């Protein structure tokens, strides 16, 4: 397959996944902001949202102080922000248009329709009217895009590059979410005993679980009250949790092996080693050594892995 085609397919899927993850994180912050809480706690939540996406400097330069409505607008409809939902969906559609010949009609039409529809919705003010409903729509379109892709595409290299993009992006986003959310509560609420704080804990952790569609899964797996260390275990080490780091890396390793070429041995080794650390890791060890340190290192390694995949398979830097 031409490296340029592989590049477009890879990034089309990454941008679609990124739009979904941004919608998930905004939704959890929006829902949490409706709960009774102090202004400081609310501020930490919105600040965390920008930190997850590494957008604090860009937001501060444009808007100054953190105001929930401005953060939402910046993350949803600001075309000057390359990580906003509208920018991600535009980039996904542009990449899809560049390789229409490699996509099924259904896969292309799903991407194109999503782009046309979001423009209509934003013009009609549907996001401001009901943010929660809008975020659900973004998630649904991402689910639809993945389902149509798997259900209609030939199981060849094109599909494998799309899956690679999806799960590399998902691993990155889940790691950022866990890191920032654990960081936010550690000082004020982590392990506190008062009834009020325990109540906050429950809503905080259940909101995080809902942001990765993990609330029902947590109940099914642990059949217990929500405990931070188990949330971390579920989102990092469980191979049967679809949005966990372990499950994402299983998919990355599997799809990499399907597109392997003469120069990709080192890339496969790195991916396999990262997956092995999750496969044989234990949450108690990770927490003892420092969750933040573990996740920071994981993000660095995923970033490096993305660079190696680009070098081995996608468009050369000079192109």
């Amino acid at each position: 397959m031409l490296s340029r085609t592989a590049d477009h397919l890879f990034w089309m899927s990454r941008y679609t996944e990124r739009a979904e993850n941004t919608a998930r994180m905004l939704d959890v912050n929006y829902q949490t902001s409706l709960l009774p809480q102090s202004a400081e706690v609310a501020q930490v939540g919105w600040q965390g949202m920008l930190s997850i996406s590494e957008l604090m400097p860009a937001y501060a330069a444009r808007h100054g102080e953190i105001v929930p409505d401005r953060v939402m607008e910046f993350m949803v409809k600001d075309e000057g922000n390359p990580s906003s939902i509208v920018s991600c969906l535009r980039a996904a559609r542009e990449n899809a248009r560049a390789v229409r010949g490699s996509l099924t009609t259904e896969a292309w039409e799903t991407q194109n329709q999503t782009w046309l529809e979001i423009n209509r919705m934003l013009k009609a003010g549907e996001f401001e009217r009901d943010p929660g409903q809008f975020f659900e729509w973004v998630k649904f379109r991402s689910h639809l895009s993945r389902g149509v892709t798997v259900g209609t595409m030939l199981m060849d290299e094109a599909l494998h590059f799309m899956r690679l993009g999806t799960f590399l992006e998902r691993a990155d986003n889940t790691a950022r979410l866990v890191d920032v959310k654990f960081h936010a509560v550690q000082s004020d609420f982590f392990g506190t005993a008062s009834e009020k704080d325990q109540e906050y804990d429950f809503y905080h952790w259940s909101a995080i679980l809902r942001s990765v569609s993990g609330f029902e899964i947590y109940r099914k797996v642990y059949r217990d009250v929500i405990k931070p260390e188990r949330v971390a275990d579920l989102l990092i080490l469980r191979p049967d949790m679809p949005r966990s780091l372990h499950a994402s890396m299983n998919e990355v390793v599997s799809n990499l092996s399907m597109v392997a070429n003469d120069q990709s041995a080192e890339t496969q080794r790195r991916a396999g080693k990262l997956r092995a650390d999750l496969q044989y890791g234990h949450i108690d060890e990770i927490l003892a050594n420092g969750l933040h340190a573990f996740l920071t290192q994981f993000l660095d390694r995923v970033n490096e892995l993305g660079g190696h995949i680009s070098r081995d398979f996608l468009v050369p830097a000079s192109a």
Side-chain angles (χ1 to χ4, degrees):
M1 169 178 279
L2 286 172
S3 62
R4 191 172 293 281
T5 303
D7 187 72
H8 284 304
L9 293 167
F10 177 83
W11 282 104
M12 178 191 88
S13 295
R14 279 201 82 153
Y15 280 121
T16 303
E17 180 72 19
R18 191 173 297 175
E20 179 188 347
N21 282 295
T22 302
R24 285 175 176 278
M25 290 187 287
L26 279 168
D27 194 28
V28 74
N29 259 32
Y30 172 68
Q31 301 295 347
T32 308
S33 72
L34 301 177
L35 299 168
Q37 58 182 328
S38 68
E40 296 92 312
V41 170
Q43 187 87 344
V44 166
W46 292 108
Q47 203 169 323
M49 174 74 235
L50 293 165
S51 302
I52 288 172
S53 312
E54 296 180 3
L55 288 171
M56 271 303 289
Y59 174 86
R62 192 161 307 190
H63 297 291
E65 65 175 304
I66 292 172
V67 178
D69 287 351
R70 283 188 202 159
V71 176
M72 294 251 279
E73 189 157 316
F74 180 67
M75 295 298 294
V76 171
K77 48 197 287 199
D78 189 335
E79 295 191 22
N81 168 15
S83 293
S84 70
I85 290 173
V86 75
S87 294
C88 288
L89 292 180
R90 183 182 62 225
R93 191 255 190 182
E94 288 305 307
N95 278 288
R97 191 165 61 87
V99 287
R100 277 185 69 171
S102 298
L103 298 172
T104 57
T105 302
E106 293 91 339
W108 156 249
E109 285 181 352
T110 302
Q111 290 286 351
N112 194 42
Q113 187 62 38
T114 301
W115 172 240
L116 297 173
E117 190 69 6
I118 194 173
N119 280 300
R120 183 196 67 73
M121 290 168 81
L122 292 177
K123 282 193 182 83
E126 290 187 28
F127 162 60
E128 287 83 0
R129 235 184 340 270
D130 190 346
Q133 190 62 42
F134 176 80
F135 296 138
E136 283 302 317
W137 176 85
V138 175
K139 288 192 275 181
F140 171 75
R141 295 304 297 186
S142 179
H143 293 323
L144 185 63
S145 175
R146 268 195 311 279
V148 166
T149 300
V150 173
T152 66
M153 294 277 293
L154 187 67
M155 293 180 193
D156 63 357
E157 284 189 330
L159 181 65
H160 298 312
F161 279 115
M162 289 161 77
R163 303 286 282 171
L164 258 180
T166 294
F167 290 104
L168 206 61
E169 184 67 29
R170 185 174 296 180
D172 179 275
N173 278 279
T174 300
R176 288 177 191 277
L177 175 78
V178 175
D179 190 27
V180 171
K181 290 300 183 183
F182 266 78
H183 232 50
V185 293
Q186 216 152 0
S187 52
D188 297 333
F189 300 103
F190 192 86
T192 48
S194 85
E195 204 172 302
K196 188 180 173 198
D197 286 345
Q198 280 182 350
E199 196 176 312
Y200 176 89
D201 259 2
F202 172 79
Y203 285 118
H204 180 86
W205 296 116
S206 61
I208 290 171
L209 287 169
R210 287 183 201 284
S211 76
V212 289
S213 299
F215 186 74
E216 288 91 350
I217 292 174
Y218 183 97
R219 290 287 195 223
K220 192 171 183 180
V221 171
Y222 300 107
R223 301 174 185 278
D224 199 357
V225 294
I226 298 174
K227 294 179 179 171
E229 61 275 16
R230 286 189 171 165
V231 174
D233 184 49
L234 184 73
L235 299 187
I236 295 171
L237 298 178
R238 291 284 305 202
D240 49 359
M241 162 61 185
R243 305 191 78 82
S244 74
L245 303 188
H246 190 172
S248 299
M249 286 311 302
N250 279 346
E251 289 283 350
V252 168
V253 169
S254 164
N255 284 285
L256 257 181
S257 69
M258 298 292 193
V259 296
N261 60 24
D262 295 342
Q263 62 201 49
S264 64
E266 174 60 16
T267 303
Q268 286 178 270
R269 186 190 73 80
R270 283 170 181 256
K273 192 166 185 298
L274 189 49
R275 196 256 305 259
D277 287 348
L278 296 165
Q279 192 174 347
Y280 299 107
H282 198 283
I283 198 62
D284 292 343
E285 278 177 21
I286 291 172
L287 292 174
N289 294 329
L291 184 66
H292 178 62
F294 174 85
L295 291 168
T296 302
Q297 190 185 42
F298 178 87
L299 282 165
D300 287 344
R301 291 168 74 185
V302 162
N303 201 22
E304 279 176 16
L305 188 59
H308 278 266
I309 289 170
S310 287
R311 190 196 64 201
D312 292 345
F313 303 105
L314 311 179
V315 175
S318 57

